[in-house]
Amino acid sequence: MKEITTIELQEQLEQGTPFNLIDVREEEEVAQGMIPSAVHIPLGEIPERLEEIDKGKAYIVICRSGGRSGRACEFLEAQGFDVTNMVGGMLAWQGEVE
């Protein structure tokens, strides 16, 4: 599974690199904040919402700590999608963990 750190993602976003981001956290979690431009698709809804994900694009998958996004990446890779897991999730993005 491909991975990207929050620092790598932040640096590339600041340089203007466009990314397709999918946030797989639950509704109450995303209410506390999301990375701008991320699309919210809760983990449990991914199988029924595959038509919203373009196989021709690469995606970075985000959750709270990196576990659920890792499971989402495994599932999406098996379906033929190009996905990368954001290691450390939003906790690392917000600086709560290293």
Side-chain angles (χ1 to χ4, degrees), residues 71-84:
R71 290 198 305 276
C73 283
E74 289 173 2
F75 173 78
L76 289 167
E77 280 179 344
Q79 306 303 312
F81 291 95
D82 181 3
V83 290
T84 300

Side-chain angles (χ1 to χ4, degrees), residues 9 15 21 28 40 46 70 76 89 98:
L9 178 59
Q15 293 170 7
L21 308 172
E28 60 275 6
H40 179 225
I46 294 236
L76 289 167
E98 295 276 321

Side-chain angles (χ1 to χ4, degrees), residues 1-3 10 12 15-16 21-22 29-30 33-35 38 42 50 52 54 60 63 68 74 80 84 91-93 98:
M1 174 187 327
K2 293 186 289 185
E3 296 181 334
Q10 181 110 38
Q12 292 183 39
Q15 293 170 7
L21 308 172
I22 300 174
E29 293 173 294
V30 298
M34 286 176 57
I35 297 173
L50 288 177
E52 296 175 41
D54 185 343
I60 294 175
C63 72
R68 282 176 285 173
E74 289 173 2
T84 300
L91 289 177
W93 181 266
E98 295 276 321

Side-chain angles (χ1 to χ4, degrees), residues 12-78:
Q12 292 183 39
L13 286 172
E14 288 171 1
Q15 293 170 7
T17 305
F19 285 100
N20 300 299
L21 308 172
I22 300 174
D23 193 321
V24 298
R25 295 176 297 156
E26 296 301 317
E27 198 71 46
E28 60 275 6
E29 293 173 294
V30 298
Q32 298 170 10
M34 286 176 57
I35 297 173
S37 81
V39 174
H40 179 225
I41 304 177
L43 179 62
E45 295 179 17
I46 294 236
E48 63 217 38
R49 293 178 64 182
L50 288 177
E51 72 281 350
E52 296 175 41
I53 306 169
D54 185 343
K55 281 193 177 178
K57 296 180 180 177
Y59 291 88
I60 294 175
V61 185
I62 303 159
C63 72
R64 181 174 177 270
S65 63
R68 282 176 285 173
S69 56
R71 290 198 305 276
C73 283
E74 289 173 2
F75 173 78
L76 289 167
E77 280 179 344

